[in-house]
Structure formats: structure tokens, C-alpha cells
């Protein structure tokens, strides 16, 4: 199931702007081993946008995905409430976040809108809880 939202919600950047930001920032990715450069743009509920790129390492698995890079930048900036994540990869096919990134994002909000785009064309969108149903989320801890 895919979800599409309004062009702009609550002062947040329009989805097209987030996809464009993810596509732009992927030029800064460090992907010499896979050649699979990825960019991500994460919008907070207050409208701030944080970008990340994948950074590979010859010493696997020391690299980091673009989505977790954007998430780390947002958290470092004091943000914990997220609305939309745009991810852009190479080629024509959209690339949704990997399982590790899905789990990291689920720490914050399973209803996060995730947009996945290729280099061109329209993105595909989901809610995170559709990409990672029954996630191991903080509410599962018995505290």
C-alpha cells in the first residue's frame, strides 16, 4: 500500500522538495565499493530538514547508510519528531531503506512517511510501519 500526502503539511517542505534534496545530496556519497550512492533528506515535524549520504568503508561493515546519517544529524540537532524521509538512489528504480535503517527509524515513529526515488521519475511512498510491520519499538520494552 502506498500513501501520498498533500504537497505541504504543517509548514514542512513539500515532498517534491525533499526528494530533490535527497537527489542533490547523493552526489556527496562515498560509495567506491558498491557504486550505489544514496542520499536522504529527513524532515522534522517542525519543518527542519537534515540530509545524509551513505559512507562505505573497505572494512565492512563499518559504513553507514544515508538514512541513518540523516537521522543521526537530526538527533544531534536536538530533534526527535519526524514527518517525512526521502531516499534517492541510483538508476530508475526507487530504493526503500534497508532493514537496519527501518529499525533505527522505528525507534522514533512508525507512522513516518517514507519516499523512495530513483534518479528520475516519481517516488513511491509508504508509512514506515508498512515497511517494517510489528517493529521492535520502544513500547515493546517492559518498563
Amino acid at each position: 500500500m502506498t500513501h501520498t500526502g498533500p504537497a505541504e503539511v504543517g509548514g514542512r517542505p513539500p515532498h517534491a522538495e525533499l526528494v530533490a534534496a535527497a537527489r542533490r545530496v547523493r552526489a556527496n556519497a562515498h560509495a567506491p565499493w558498491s557504486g550505489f550512492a544514496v542520499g536522504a533528506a529527513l524532515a522534522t515535524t517542525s519543518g527542519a530538514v537534515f540530509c545524509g549520504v551513505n559512507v562505505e568503508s573497505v572494512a565492512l561493515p563499518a559504513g553507514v547508510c544515508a538514512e541513518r546519517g540523516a537521522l543521526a544529524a537530526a538527533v544531534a540537532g536536538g530533534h526527535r519528531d519526524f514527518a517525512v524521509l526521502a531516499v534517492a538512489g541510483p538508476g530508475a528504480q526507487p530504493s526503500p531503506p534497508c532493514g537496519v535503517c527501518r529499525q533505527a527509524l522505528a525507534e522514533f515513529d512508525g507512522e513516518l512517511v517514507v519516499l523512495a526515488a530513483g534518479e528520475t521519475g516519481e517516488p513511491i511512498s509508504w508509512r514506515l510501519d508498512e515497511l517494517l510491520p510489528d517493529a521492535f519499538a520502544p513500547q515493546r520494552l517492559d518498563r
Side-chain angles (χ1 to χ4, degrees):
M1 174 187 276
T2 62
H3 293 271
T4 57
E8 186 168 347
V9 179
R12 294 189 300 264
H15 290 181
E17 285 184 20
L18 284 174
V19 170
R23 285 177 172 153
R24 277 191 309 273
V25 75
R26 71 179 284 273
N28 297 329
H30 178 74
W33 311 111
S34 71
F36 198 85
V38 178
L42 179 61
T44 69
T45 56
S46 65
V49 175
F50 294 86
C51 292
V53 296
N54 59 322
V55 179
E56 295 178 350
S57 172
V58 68
L60 295 175
V64 66
C65 296
E67 299 90 330
R68 285 182 287 136
L71 179 62
V75 170
H79 297 273
R80 302 284 190 278
D81 298 313
F82 308 110
V84 183
L85 170 72
V87 182
Q93 293 297 322
S95 297
C98 73
V100 173
C101 290
R102 293 175 193 196
Q103 181 60 52
L105 293 162
E107 179 79 12
F108 298 92
D109 186 357
E111 295 183 8
L112 175 75
V113 173
V114 177
L115 305 168
E119 291 176 313
T120 61
E122 292 298 314
I124 298 173
S125 66
W126 305 265
R127 276 190 4 193
L128 181 61
D129 57 10
E130 293 174 316
L131 291 173
L132 187 64
D134 299 321
F136 186 76
Q139 55 270 33
R140 291 200 184 257
L141 296 179
D142 188 24
R143 291 187 181 197

